Amino acid sequence: MPEKQSDLVQPLLVETALVWNDTTGKWEIAYRTDFRRQRTITLVDKILFNSSGQAYTSDIINCAAYRNLLLLINLKVTGAPTDIVIDTKFSDDRANFFKYMRGPFGDLRYEDSAGDKMECIDGPILASYMQLMLTSSGCDGSKTFLMTIKAVFNG
């Protein structure tokens, strides 16, 4: 019986580059990319922002094996809080994180007047580690933001 189209799985295509290490006298892998690789991680899971100046920092994600990122942003607004800012940060050493400033990531902010949102934003992976930092303003018990953000990594 022939297989259905949805049952067929394309194998991963591997791309690798080797460099010679004079110290060890051996070839070492400089990088390896398995195309069609994809991973989804929830960075912010239904975090309620209900006080002004409230901040949340996501876990540190090892994203070195991927080339691209898609942030899936799900924002629910109650009342009229002022705004919430999402800083996307990268690190090469897992200790020092730097805010990514290109394109929409330079000032990724949502205001109360925008209402509930479900949006996605894509960008490149530029370092080995990534994390998000969110900061709210103008929130209180009746003016809140409820935030969920997932990251889809692929490469």
Side-chain angles (χ1 to χ4, degrees):
M1 182 170 159
E3 294 178 311
K4 295 185 281 183
Q5 185 68 25
S6 62
D7 292 337
L8 299 175
V9 177
Q10 181 177 341
L12 294 177
L13 304 173
V14 178
E15 174 184 298
T16 306
L18 300 174
V19 294
W20 182 257
N21 184 332
D22 285 332
T23 305
T24 63
K26 295 180 182 180
W27 288 99
E28 295 181 359
I29 295 176
Y31 76 89
R32 175 189 165 125
T33 301
D34 294 333
F35 294 97
R36 291 186 26 97
R37 186 179 352 189
Q38 186 167 310
R39 178 178 170 202
T40 302
I41 297 174
T42 301
L43 296 166
V44 180
D45 192 12
K46 298 178 184 167
I47 301 297
L48 180 66
F49 291 85
N50 59 2
S51 64
S52 191
Q54 183 178 344
Y56 175 84
T57 303
S58 73
D59 290 338
I60 297 170
I61 304 300
N62 183 340
C63 56
Y66 303 95
R67 291 185 176 181
N68 302 300
L69 159 75
L70 182 68
L71 284 183
L72 307 175
I73 301 168
N74 185 354
L75 174 66
K76 305 280 187 218
V77 179
T78 304
T82 306
D83 65 8
I84 189 162
V85 177
I86 304 168
D87 291 335
T88 303
K89 298 182 176 189
F90 288 100
S91 173
D92 62 337
D93 61 7
R94 195 178 166 90
N96 301 297
F97 281 84
F98 302 88
K99 181 179 174 186
Y100 185 52
M101 295 298 295
R102 189 171 184 179
F105 295 99
D107 187 24
L108 186 50
R109 153 187 330 260
Y110 290 92
E111 298 177 352
D112 68 320
S113 59
D116 295 352
K117 293 282 184 188
M118 291 185 72
E119 298 180 339
C120 58
I121 300 172
D122 68 323
I125 297 295
L126 302 169
S128 299
Y129 303 97
M130 178 196 148
Q131 75 177 172
L132 299 179
M133 182 173 178
L134 290 75
T135 308
S136 67
S137 63
C139 295
D140 62 28
S142 63
K143 298 183 253 179
T144 66
F145 290 111
L146 180 64
M147 181 69 78
T148 299
I149 301 176
K150 293 182 181 182
V152 180
F153 297 101
N154 62 55

